[in-house]
């Protein structure tokens, strides 16, 4: 009789420990999921900001690569001029 009673207490204690471990695991998992969600949102916000910056840089590159802009910059900054048409020689292959 006493052995059966002790055995039931041991089983109850083991089940209680299993319940506590399970609850702790569920709490930790939920907390970790929230941390990862916050990190995901931060990364999404950074990605969006980088996409906007990329678009702005592409517009700027498009502006600076226009022929008229290149010629204007060459004349103004580098004081370059177009050669005299008589001095141009065409070389054919």
């Amino acid at each position: 009789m006493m052995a059966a009673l002790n055995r039931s207490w041991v089983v109850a204690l083991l089940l209680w420990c299993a319940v506590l471990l399970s609850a702790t695991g569920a709490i930790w998992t939920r907390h970790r999921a929230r941390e990862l969600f916050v990190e995901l949102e931060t990364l999404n916000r950074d990605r969006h900001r980088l996409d906007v910056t990329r678009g702005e840089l592409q517009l700027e590159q498009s502006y600076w690569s226009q022929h008229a802009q290149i010629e204007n910059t060459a004349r103004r900054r580098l004081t370059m001029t177009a050669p005299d048409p008589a001095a141009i020689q065409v070389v054919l292959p």
Side-chain angles (χ1 to χ4, degrees):
M1 175 83 166
M2 207 51 162
L5 188 58
N6 284 339
R7 190 174 304 148
S8 65
W9 276 102
V10 169
V11 169
L13 182 62
L14 287 175
L15 289 174
W16 180 248
C17 288
V19 167
L20 286 178
L21 286 174
S22 176
T24 303
I27 291 169
W28 181 83
T29 303
R30 183 64 131 180
H31 176 70
R32 184 68 180 136
R34 286 182 178 152
E35 285 179 339
L36 291 173
F37 180 75
V38 168
E39 184 179 350
L40 175 66
E41 288 301 312
T42 302
L43 291 172
N44 281 335
R45 187 172 47 249
D46 290 346
R47 180 181 50 96
H48 177 70
R49 184 178 45 81
L50 290 172
D51 283 343
V52 169
T53 303
R54 178 176 173 252
E56 291 170 351
L57 290 173
Q58 285 177 331
L59 284 173
E60 186 176 352
Q61 179 186 22
S62 172
Y63 170 76
W64 285 107
S65 66
Q66 292 176 2
H67 179 71
Q69 184 61 34
I70 293 171
E71 186 175 345
N72 186 19
T73 302
R75 288 181 191 275
R76 195 183 52 226
R77 280 190 179 168
L78 304 174
T79 61
M80 297 176 84
T81 59
D84 183 35
I88 298 175
Q89 292 182 1
V90 179
V91 179
L92 297 175

